Amino acid sequence: MKWDIVTLPCLGAGQSGKSRDKSDALLMQGERGTSQVRGQEGRSSSKRWDAMEYDEKLVRFRQAHLNPFNKQLGPRHHEQEPSEKVTSEDTLPELPAGEPEFHYSERMMDLGLSEDHFSRPVGLFLASDVQQLRQAIEECKQVILELPEQSEKQKDAVVRLIHLRLKLQELKDPNEEEPNIRVLLEHRFYKEKSKSVKQTCDKCNTIIWGLIQTWYTCTGCCYRCHSKCLNLISKPCVSSKVSHQAEYELNICPETGLDSQDYRCAECRAPISLRGVPSEARQCDYTGQYYCSHCHWNDLAVIPARVVHNWDFEPRKVSRCSMRYLALMVSRPVLRLREINPLLFNYVEELVEIRKLRQDILLMKPYFITCKEAMEARLLLQLQDRQHFVENDEMYSIQDLLEVHMGRLSCSLTEIHTLFAKHIKLDCERCQAKGFVCELCKEGDVLFPFDSHTSVCNDCSAVFHRDCYYDNSTTCPKCARLTLRKQSLFQEPGLDMDA
């Protein structure tokens, strides 16, 4: 390697010192100038980055508040591949200089793929024209059909379609709204306002989408249907049958055969058969008749006849009409068990205990009616759900028998019995004063007719110790006094006439 030797001119001592000082000064000035230039370049670059960031934020802001239904911004294209990934460069379009309005890429205008727009609440929809919303709904439907099945984008598009329909429902003309109450075939239909509950239409047997469909419910029998199905209903309200004829079918599954029904549904008269052609025949365990699949949805219910005769509480398949009837009748006391099946009390021990508690409550009722404190405390309202318990001890409802079977009625009734007895025997002096003393032994505490160790005379309602009453072979002392008093009243007028 060759080295080039540069010869510098020789300077004198004085000149060399002066030149050295000048060179040092020039070098320092150059360094300061370089640092100033670098600082200016840094400040300008930071300003450029700040300007770019501001433009980017401005684009995103206007992009978020863009009206997706503006047709003047260009055509929409939905041919984007599912695997295509949108980068930040594609998302942020360049802003042409000198134009006051911002023009966006076609991808941002895609109704089915614009994530920033639909991720916001429904209230940010800027379209106020019903026609625009309907057109947007049709386009969103087309997007759903073009997207791959069961894909995430298709699911998102479905959610957006629901939002658009909700917005359209809000913007409808108030004159097009349907009435809140409609009366058809003794049904009293009330328009439902709940939109989160998914129900099934009893007429067309399809799902009621409460978010986008109007539906009605009968206040009497809970019959549900779309608003479009109201005029097609042919089934009368079951509540009218309950009010006019409140009784059960007490024969276990009284089947008569399909031939007695002319091979037709017992309710809608549609052709049915056991082979399923043209429609499957389904038997109702309550009525014993056969129904089609539209009138029989394989609902399960407890059959009253099986409960009364067999003490069987297993739910069985019933028709829709029977299910509504049984639901309305479940708390009605129409079963007189002593007449229908008196042997049931020998088989079910809980029924014997319930009958004794009900008899005691009937004996306590006169105390509460004549007691001011009991009326103010409203003690009898403890049985407001079972009003028949304070009227008689014979009638039962299916709900009562269900709770007897589950062991709940005995516990609740025992608590009420204890509360009533505590008021009469301990809390209230007026009720204590209405107690009895055994006239046979004339010993012991004050007796009440609902005590377990007492007996009551059937003629005069006097109360005695049970042992004293059955050991004494003579008649009741109170009955004997009443007889003598009656005889004396009849004899005194006769003596006066003879005199």
Side-chain angles (χ1 to χ4, degrees):
M1 178 180 297
K2 294 182 181 182
W3 296 90
D4 296 333
I5 299 174
V6 179
T7 304
L8 297 174
C10 294
L11 300 173
Q15 293 179 354
S16 63
K18 293 179 180 180
S19 61
R20 190 180 298 111
D21 293 337
K22 290 181 179 179
S23 63
D24 293 341
L26 292 172
L27 181 60
M28 293 175 64
Q29 290 178 2
E31 290 177 354
R32 284 196 298 269
T34 304
S35 62
Q36 290 177 0
V37 171
R38 288 178 180 175
Q40 292 176 359
E41 291 178 355
R43 285 191 294 271
S44 62
S45 62
S46 63
K47 289 181 179 180
R48 287 196 299 271
W49 280 107
D50 293 339
M52 292 175 63
E53 186 177 359
Y54 173 78
D55 293 340
E56 180 180 346
K57 291 181 179 180
L58 182 60
V59 170
R60 289 182 178 176
F61 175 79
R62 296 191 177 184
Q63 172 187 333
H65 289 74
L66 180 66
N67 188 351
F69 308 106
N70 193 351
K71 293 294 182 179
Q72 299 176 358
L73 294 177
R76 306 170 189 265
H77 299 281
H78 306 296
E79 287 79 7
Q80 183 179 1
E81 294 296 330
S83 61
E84 181 182 355
K85 296 183 179 180
V86 181
T87 62
S88 61
E89 298 177 357
D90 296 334
T91 307
L92 299 175
E94 297 181 1
L95 302 177
E99 293 185 10
E101 296 182 358
F102 288 84
H103 300 279
Y104 298 95
S105 62
E106 296 175 355
R107 181 180 293 109
M108 300 312 301
M109 293 306 301
D110 189 347
L111 186 62
L113 301 177
S114 179
E115 189 68 26
D116 290 338
H117 173 74
F118 285 101
S119 62
R120 285 167 172 76
V122 184
L124 288 181
F125 284 130
L126 302 180
S128 59
D129 190 4
V130 175
Q131 187 65 27
Q132 289 181 354
L133 278 172
R134 288 176 178 172
Q135 189 171 358
I137 288 172
E138 294 300 327
E139 293 179 1
C140 194
K141 288 180 181 179
Q142 187 65 27
V143 172
I144 294 173
L145 295 176
E146 293 177 359
L147 290 174
E149 293 288 338
Q150 303 298 329
S151 62
E152 293 296 329
K153 292 183 179 180
Q154 189 185 47
K155 294 179 182 178
D156 294 340
V158 172
V159 174
R160 293 160 194 160
L161 177 62
I162 294 175
H163 290 172
L164 287 172
R165 287 184 171 176
L166 283 175
K167 185 64 178 178
L168 179 62
Q169 188 72 20
E170 293 176 359
L171 296 178
K172 275 188 175 181
D173 188 4
N175 296 328
E176 298 179 3
E177 294 184 359
E178 300 182 13
N180 291 331
I181 299 177
R182 296 188 63 179
V183 179
L184 293 171
L185 296 176
E186 298 184 356
H187 290 280
R188 187 174 180 83
F189 287 105
Y190 179 77
K191 186 167 68 172
E192 292 288 347
K193 297 181 180 180
S194 175
K195 298 186 179 299
S196 60
V197 181
K198 186 174 71 174
Q199 302 288 349
T200 304
C201 179
D202 287 317
K203 177 58 183 177
C204 61
N205 199 10
T206 57
I207 295 176
I208 300 174
W209 297 99
L211 290 173
I212 57 178
Q213 292 178 328
T214 305
W215 56 293
Y216 287 80
T217 301
C218 177
T219 57
C221 64
C222 298
Y223 189 96
R224 302 181 183 91
C225 68
H226 297 98
S227 59
K228 62 181 180 181
C229 299
L230 276 178
N231 296 327
L232 304 177
I233 294 175
S234 59
K235 304 173 183 177
C237 185
V238 182
S239 61
S240 61
K241 180 181 177 182
V242 173
S243 58
H244 297 142
Q245 186 180 3
E247 59 182 10
Y248 286 117
E249 172 61 53
L250 296 180
N251 295 320
I252 299 177
C253 193
E255 181 182 1
T256 56
L258 270 175
D259 55 342
S260 62
Q261 301 178 201
D262 197 18
Y263 294 90
R264 293 182 178 274
C265 175
E267 189 167 348
C268 67
R269 306 306 296 170
I272 56 175
S273 68
L274 294 176
R275 296 181 180 180
V277 179
S279 180
E280 178 187 3
R282 299 179 180 178
Q283 187 181 24
C284 174
D285 196 83
Y286 174 68
T287 62
Q289 295 178 321
Y290 290 88
Y291 299 83
C292 64
S293 57
H294 287 282
C295 302
H296 194 309
W297 295 4
N298 291 328
D299 297 305
L300 299 177
V302 176
I303 309 302
R306 296 184 182 273
V307 172
V308 172
H309 295 292
N310 300 339
W311 201 244
D312 181 10
F313 292 89
E314 182 181 356
R316 286 175 169 79
K317 296 179 180 180
V318 295
S319 64
R320 294 290 294 176
C321 183
S322 298
M323 186 199 67
R324 294 191 197 94
Y325 182 78
L326 294 175
L328 293 176
M329 289 284 294
V330 68
S331 59
R332 287 181 172 263
V334 296
L335 297 174
R336 197 181 296 271
L337 291 183
R338 290 184 183 179
E339 296 181 2
I340 300 172
N341 186 8
L343 297 178
L344 192 62
F345 291 90
N346 298 333
Y347 174 72
V348 184
E349 297 179 357
E350 292 84 354
L351 285 177
V352 179
E353 181 181 358
I354 295 297
R355 183 175 62 182
K356 179 62 173 63
L357 291 174
R358 291 183 63 175
Q359 291 174 352
D360 292 346
I361 289 174
L362 290 176
L363 294 173
M364 297 178 185
K365 181 179 177 180
Y367 289 86
F368 296 146
I369 294 176
T370 57
C371 177
K372 183 179 179 181
E373 296 180 2
M375 296 300 291
E376 292 178 353
R378 298 183 178 182
L379 293 179
L380 289 177
L381 290 181
Q382 298 289 333
L383 293 171
Q384 60 181 349
D385 295 335
R386 294 182 175 86
Q387 189 66 28
H388 54 284
F389 278 16
V390 295
E391 295 176 355
N392 58 74
D393 63 336
E394 297 180 354
M395 306 301 293
Y396 292 84
S397 66
I398 289 295
Q399 185 66 35
D400 297 337
L401 300 182
L402 279 170
E403 295 190 5
V404 169
H405 177 67
M406 291 184 288
R408 295 187 301 190
L409 183 59
S410 178
C411 296
S412 62
L413 206 58
T414 301
E415 293 179 359
I416 296 174
H417 182 278
T418 304
L419 177 65
F420 288 177
K422 179 175 177 295
H423 171 82
I424 296 174
K425 301 175 69 174
L426 299 176
D427 298 341
C428 183
E429 295 182 356
R430 296 179 181 178
C431 295
Q432 293 178 16
K434 299 175 184 177
F436 294 83
V437 176
C438 181
E439 297 184 22
L440 297 176
C441 65
K442 298 181 181 180
E443 296 179 359
D445 300 331
V446 179
L447 304 180
F448 293 92
F450 50 84
D451 289 333
S452 59
H453 59 283
T454 60
S455 295
V456 181
C457 177
N458 296 328
D459 298 329
C460 63
S461 300
V463 181
F464 308 93
H465 290 111
R466 179 174 298 176
D467 296 336
C468 299
Y469 186 74
Y470 287 106
D471 291 343
N472 189 2
S473 58
T474 59
T475 59
C476 171
K478 186 175 180 179
C479 291
R481 288 199 309 272
L482 293 175
T483 303
L484 292 175
R485 185 179 301 173
K486 289 179 181 180
Q487 291 177 357
S488 62
L489 290 175
F490 285 120
Q491 288 178 357
E492 289 178 359
L495 295 175
D496 295 337
M497 291 295 294
D498 294 338

